[in-house]
Structures are given as C-alpha cells and as structure tokens.
Amino acid sequence: MELLGLFVLGQVVSALSELGQSGKTLRSASSGNNTSHIPYRDSKLTRLLQDSLGGNSRTVMIACISPADSNVEESTNTLRYAERTRNIKNSAVRNVVSTGLSASEAAALRRENQQLKLELAQMETKMHMSQGGGSYLGHGGSGIISSLENSQDIALVAKLQAQCTSFLAEIAILKEK
C-alpha cells in the first residue's frame, strides 16, 4: 500500500511539474478549459499532501542524497524527483476572513459584553452577601470583597472586576496577534 502511495505521489508531482513548466499554477490552470487531471484522490498520501503540493501554501522539499558509489542510482533518481518538485508553482494567498463588523459595531459589542459581565458580577456578589458570606473571591479569582455593606461599594467592586476581566481578555487577544 505504501508503494502505491509513493507511486501516486510521483504522478502528482509530475503533473504539477508539467503545469509549472508551462508557467501556470494550479489555480490559473483550473480556470482554463484544457486542464490536466491531478490524481490527488488516488492515494491517502497524496490526499493528505494535497494542500502542500498544489494548494494555497509554501512548501519546502529536502532531498537527501549519498556520495557513495553504491547509491548512485538512488541519488540520481532523488535529484530528478527534486528537479520535478522544484518546477511546481504554487500561488500562496493569505486567507483573510472578513467579519463584516465595523469599528463602531465592534465597540458596541465590547460595551455590551462589559455591561453583561458587570451585571453578572453584581448578581454573584449580591447572592453571596445574601447568604451571609464573609470574604468573597470573585469570578475567576479576579478580586476580593470583604463584608461590604454599602451596595454602591459592591457595584463599584463588581464594575472593577468586570473591567479587569475585559482587560485580561484584550491582553490575551493582543498577545495572540
């Protein structure tokens, strides 16, 4: 089964190499009428490597050869194979997904999210205080409330907790970028 996969991989590389030698990429060739068939589906190996071989990606191939006389034939075949793969032309294009949200809509959603977090923190605080708890470790360990009697203080602490949570989320998003 493995030999079949390597054989089909050779066929795919040859077909893509022919496209590359004619100055076409798979993307530009598929828009024309006389496209040659690329047999990706003929083996599991080529199906897995489809995006790397002729898709939307940059691919590096490393060919290992040996200077030993006993490996001359194998090294020559490897160099021919590497030459064919070098002729493959991919056009990698950045995948950008448009969310369709304007800056004002995103800001409105952030404000609504913050407001909902504030309300949640206030409800949790009120529920804890009504149960007669002493000290309170807030939502996610973000703050401590100790026997507050004034509801304004509770609301202020809850608001600060929500802001901290929001800031932590924004920091996490910025770190990902």
Side-chain angles (χ1 to χ4, degrees), residues 4-92:
L4 177 65
L6 293 176
F7 176 72
V8 175
L9 179 62
Q11 289 180 328
V12 168
V13 167
S14 293
L16 291 171
S17 177
E18 289 172 13
L19 281 177
Q21 285 178 340
S22 65
K24 296 179 180 179
T25 62
L26 187 60
R27 191 180 309 263
S28 64
S30 63
S31 61
N33 291 337
N34 56 355
T35 62
S36 61
H37 173 69
I38 310 296
Y40 291 120
R41 294 185 179 180
D42 291 353
S43 86
K44 291 179 184 179
L45 178 64
T46 53
R47 187 73 171 146
L48 288 171
L49 295 175
Q50 181 174 357
D51 289 334
S52 298
L53 292 171
N56 187 19
S57 63
R58 291 181 182 232
T59 306
V60 175
M61 178 172 184
I62 299 172
C64 297
I65 58 172
S66 171
D69 289 339
S70 60
N71 296 327
V72 169
E73 185 179 340
E74 199 167 320
S75 294
T76 305
N77 288 337
T78 301
L79 288 173
R80 285 188 190 128
Y81 186 78
E83 178 68 24
R84 285 187 308 205
T85 59
R86 190 172 70 172
N87 291 330
I88 297 173
K89 305 291 183 215
N90 282 355
S91 59

Side-chain angles (χ1 to χ4, degrees), residues 159-173:
K159 180 179 177 182
L160 291 173
Q161 283 180 326
Q163 286 177 344
C164 287
T165 305
S166 175
F167 289 143
L168 290 173
E170 287 181 32
I171 288 170
I173 290 170

